[in-house]
Amino acid sequence: MRVLSIRTYLSSPAKMSAIIDALKKALEAEPGNWEARQSLVEVALKEGELAEAVSALKGVELPTDDAAIALAAASYQDVAIAAHAAGDTTTAAAFTATARELVPGMA
């Protein structure tokens, strides 16, 4: 399943719910699909759904291959930034710590 192509639909609010549902189904079928997980985080944050983005990352097994590590680190960092902007410093700190665990030295 190619999920990166959904980015072309991000400008259409009517399709957001369908996109989120499709990404969740993709993750149910393949929880280790970090491309889908990153896309879900990206869509959720674009829609201002911080809780949805947090939920997409909480309790998941961290990846071990390099490509997935990069996607995961970016996702955790994006949520950390959004959480900080929303005043949720606890979530921001936790997600920054996970990003740094994946990529030591990440700011």
Side-chain angles (χ1 to χ4, degrees):
M1 174 179 191
R2 182 154 172 86
V3 275
L4 289 179
S5 62
I6 65 125
R7 291 185 177 144
T8 60
Y9 295 102
L10 291 178
S11 61
S12 174
K15 295 184 180 183
M16 287 298 171
S17 179
I19 292 169
I20 289 173
D21 289 344
L23 290 167
K24 285 180 176 181
K25 285 181 183 177
L27 290 171
E28 286 175 13
E30 190 181 350
N33 182 339
W34 277 92
E35 188 176 270
R37 194 169 300 283
Q38 183 187 37
S39 292
L40 177 56
V41 167
E42 181 180 326
V43 171
L45 292 176
K46 180 172 178 62
E47 288 299 293
E49 298 291 338
L50 178 59
E52 182 75 51
V54 168
S55 178
L57 296 174
K58 282 244 177 176
V60 298
E61 186 175 330
L62 295 178
T64 56
D65 66 276
D66 289 343
I69 287 172
L71 292 172
S75 294
Y76 280 95
Q77 191 65 20
D78 288 348
V79 172
I81 291 166
H84 187 267
D88 184 349
T89 56
T90 302
T91 298
F95 278 67
T96 297
T98 302
R100 286 181 179 155
E101 177 183 337
L102 289 163
V103 180
M106 183 176 222

